[in-house]
Amino acid sequence: MKLATDQPGQPPVIWQWMSRQTQIPWSTDLRTIASVRDDGSIAAAVAFGSWTPQACFIHVAFDTPHSLSRTLLKASLRYAFETIGVKAIYGLTPKDFDRAIKFNKRVGFKQIGETVDCVLLEMRREDCRYLTKETLQ
């Protein structure tokens, strides 16, 4: 598999795939990255949006439980923390989606609150085990 991103001026293929999986709306500030199989199909994708000067929200979709690779996860988190320089990433997960909540916590997100129907999760830069030591200093 290889990593790919939606490119300016090109159709947003990764976002379109994610939208079918998660109903994520289009936003001009959305940044996507995906694992693409040799046949061109998308296995998993990560999107960042709702940027603030120090944080953003993350959205994740995959077609099978084993499609989300460490390579994609690491590249995605490094993009947000190292390239963009955010201090925290947030995610909303439906309260009744126990597998996703457990997965998010295993990756390193911490539950910091709840809404009426979702759990609010946060990963801070200093808690991300996928970053290089230079980034954490």
Side-chain angles (χ1 to χ4, degrees):
M1 282 201 238
K2 64 181 179 179
L3 297 180
T5 61
D6 281 333
Q7 298 297 314
Q10 300 293 317
V13 176
I14 298 168
W15 167 77
Q16 291 169 347
W17 181 87
M18 284 195 79
S19 182
R20 286 191 299 273
Q21 305 291 324
T22 66
Q23 289 75 51
I24 183 175
W26 172 252
S27 173
T28 57
D29 73 343
L30 203 62
R31 301 296 175 261
T32 60
I33 186 170
S35 289
V36 180
R37 295 182 182 96
D38 292 339
D39 67 4
S41 65
I42 296 173
V46 175
F48 294 103
S50 302
W51 298 88
T52 70
Q54 297 186 32
C56 64
F57 273 81
I58 189 170
H59 309 275
V60 180
F62 42 90
D63 62 3
T64 69
H66 301 288
S67 296
L68 182 61
S69 68
R70 285 193 179 154
T71 301
L72 175 60
L73 188 60
K74 186 185 289 188
S76 300
L77 295 172
R78 285 185 172 174
Y79 171 76
F81 286 125
E82 294 178 352
T83 304
I84 302 300
V86 299
K87 293 182 179 175
I89 299 171
Y90 296 96
L92 287 172
T93 303
K95 283 182 180 178
D96 61 354
F97 199 179
D98 293 330
R99 287 189 346 234
I101 294 169
K102 287 177 186 174
F103 171 80
N104 292 334
K105 289 179 178 179
R106 263 195 333 268
V107 169
F109 282 86
K110 296 177 182 171
Q111 184 174 335
I112 60 168
E114 291 185 10
T115 68
V116 174
D117 56 356
C118 290
V119 172
L120 177 61
L121 299 146
E122 173 188 63
M123 181 184 289
R124 291 182 175 261
R125 180 184 318 187
E126 60 269 17
D127 297 328
C128 182
R129 65 179 178 255
Y130 300 97
L131 302 182
T132 60
K133 290 180 183 177
E134 295 79 32
T135 303
L136 296 173
Q137 295 175 354

